[in-house]
Amino acid sequence: MVFKIANNSIFAPVESNPGIKASIIKSRMNILKKPKTDIAVIGGGSWATALVKILSQGDSRVRWSHRNKEKVRYIRRFKHNPTYLSDVHFSNRKVKPDHRFDKVLKDTKYIFIVVPSAFLPETLDQIDPALLKGKKIISAVK
């Protein structure tokens, strides 16, 4: 049997063993369906919107904290921020906006804080410190 290596996967020729090829393809499709890392982004402005777009283009799922409940509904429905960079669209599979910090920060590895410096103390006061334990925090404050 001859095997071919492509894109870090080993493929058996279809004619030699269709079952192996089908299972490898199915396995790769499952990997594509579930992103590997959950990242949280806190902030709803243009800088946060740009970072959400960039981070969601990799193999990560982005949980996006936006303080405005109505804008969260809008983003979920129309797949873009209505106020900032409104021509930038998101995948509902990769971007999960929410106004509740506990939902956004749960099971994330990395947290990007992307709020204006004037609002940083107010924002951090709303977050339960236990939600930050063991996570890597990246400041994108301006």
Side-chain angles (χ1 to χ4, degrees):
M1 181 180 296
V2 177
F3 291 94
K4 178 178 142 190
I5 299 174
N7 296 328
N8 297 323
S9 295
I10 300 173
F11 292 95
V14 174
E15 58 279 352
S16 66
N17 194 335
I20 291 175
K21 179 136 182 166
S23 70
I24 291 171
I25 291 172
K26 186 176 179 181
S27 167
R28 290 200 41 97
M29 292 305 290
N30 286 338
I31 290 170
L32 293 175
K33 287 181 186 174
K34 185 171 183 184
K36 295 179 183 177
T37 306
D38 283 340
I39 298 171
V41 174
I42 298 172
S46 58
W47 181 216
T49 302
L51 284 176
V52 167
K53 181 63 177 178
I54 292 166
L55 293 168
S56 69
Q57 290 180 322
D59 60 354
S60 300
R61 181 172 54 195
V62 179
R63 296 178 187 202
W64 188 7
S65 173
H66 201 297
R67 65 184 172 160
N68 186 310
K69 199 178 201 178
E70 293 305 314
K71 285 188 182 175
V72 166
R73 284 190 195 127
Y74 184 95
I75 293 167
R76 284 181 184 157
R77 182 171 180 198
F78 297 105
K79 302 173 186 150
H80 69 93
N81 188 332
T83 311
Y84 301 100
L85 303 177
S86 58
D87 58 335
V88 173
H89 286 76
F90 305 101
S91 162
N92 283 344
R93 186 179 72 80
K94 302 280 296 270
V95 176
K96 305 291 181 189
D98 205 303
H99 67 281
R100 299 166 293 187
F101 287 120
D102 60 328
K103 298 288 184 187
V104 171
L105 299 176
K106 182 182 177 190
D107 300 325
T108 58
K109 257 184 157 175
Y110 303 96
I111 301 169
F112 284 78
I113 299 178
V114 194
V115 295
S117 59
F119 299 106
L120 184 60
E122 174 189 333
T123 301
L124 294 178
D125 285 344
Q126 297 174 46
I127 300 173
D128 178 359
L131 293 171
L132 304 175
K133 189 173 182 176
K135 300 178 194 282
K136 306 251 189 279
I137 300 173
I138 299 98
S139 173
V141 174
K142 57 179 190 167

